[in-house]
Amino acid sequence: MEDAIDPWNFTILRLLSGAICLGIIIILHTHRLKHQTQTATSSSSDFNTDNNNAAVSAILADKGSWLSSVSLVVYALCFSLAYVDLDAGTGALILSAAVQLTMIGWSIYQKEQLTVLQWLALAFALIGFVYLMLPLAAIPSFTGALAMALSGIAWAIYSRPLAKVIGLARN
């Protein structure tokens, strides 16, 4: 284990390599959208083309979100730090339960009507936590569990705008 990368450097490597890949994808996608908009504008001006151009312009003008950026960094760092003290199964359970509890909890707080699937997800998350905390179950490291729970909360905050975009969240 002496040759293993530490959580801090792993997080930096993970985020930096992801940022480089995302940067390349954004450059290529932006170039394609700009080319697509110029071609559509010069060929016709019907209602669908105008709507498409407006959507493309909105995408090109989007500058992202600092909250999402910070949430992603908190998720990645806490995730890496947590796995120093947790085994994979326990970490995965805490992470997924924290994400579900945070997203569904936020929906309930916002007075959103939950679907049956969302209530089932909440029930499974709670059952998983109860099972994890049973006296006969292995009790995870407090700092590892806390770091993984924070990671899950950060992931939920990061995911919330995406859920709104693809229609999984109404607010």
Side-chain angles (χ1 to χ4, degrees):
M1 191 78 176
E2 291 177 20
D3 294 333
I5 189 170
D6 66 278
W8 297 91
N9 285 320
F10 176 74
T11 301
I12 291 168
L13 181 64
R14 186 176 177 203
L15 292 175
L16 189 59
S17 61
I20 290 168
C21 289
L22 183 59
I24 292 168
I25 291 168
I26 287 172
I27 289 168
L28 294 174
H29 189 62
T30 301
H31 176 72
R32 186 178 65 86
L33 286 174
K34 284 180 180 178
H35 178 72
Q36 196 176 36
T37 303
Q38 290 169 352
T39 305
T41 303
S42 63
S43 64
S44 70
S45 63
D46 65 353
F47 179 74
N48 287 335
T49 303
D50 291 341
N51 282 343
N52 187 40
N53 288 345
V56 168
S57 295
I59 291 169
L60 293 174
D62 184 15
K63 300 298 179 204
S65 158
W66 280 107
L67 178 62
S68 290
S69 300
V70 170
S71 297
L72 184 61
V73 170
V74 170
Y75 153 74
L77 183 58
C78 288
F79 180 89
S80 298
L81 291 170
Y83 271 126
V84 170
D85 296 328
L86 297 176
D87 66 6
T90 302
L93 177 62
I94 294 170
L95 179 69
S96 61
V99 172
Q100 289 178 19
L101 289 171
T102 302
M103 291 187 88
I104 293 173
W106 181 253
S107 296
I108 292 168
Y109 176 76
Q110 294 292 316
K111 298 183 177 32
E112 182 178 324
Q113 292 288 338
L114 300 183
T115 66
V116 172
L117 182 61
Q118 288 170 323
W119 281 112
L120 283 171
L122 179 60
F124 278 114
L126 291 173
I127 289 168
F129 263 130
V130 168
Y131 176 76
L132 178 66
M133 298 303 162
L134 284 176
L136 297 177
I139 298 174
S141 152
F142 176 75
T143 55
L146 180 62
M148 190 58 80
L150 289 173
S151 179
I153 292 167
W155 185 256
I157 293 168
Y158 174 77
S159 299
R160 189 70 183 171
L162 177 61
K164 286 168 60 173
V165 167
I166 61 176
L168 295 176
R170 291 184 280 278
N171 50 16

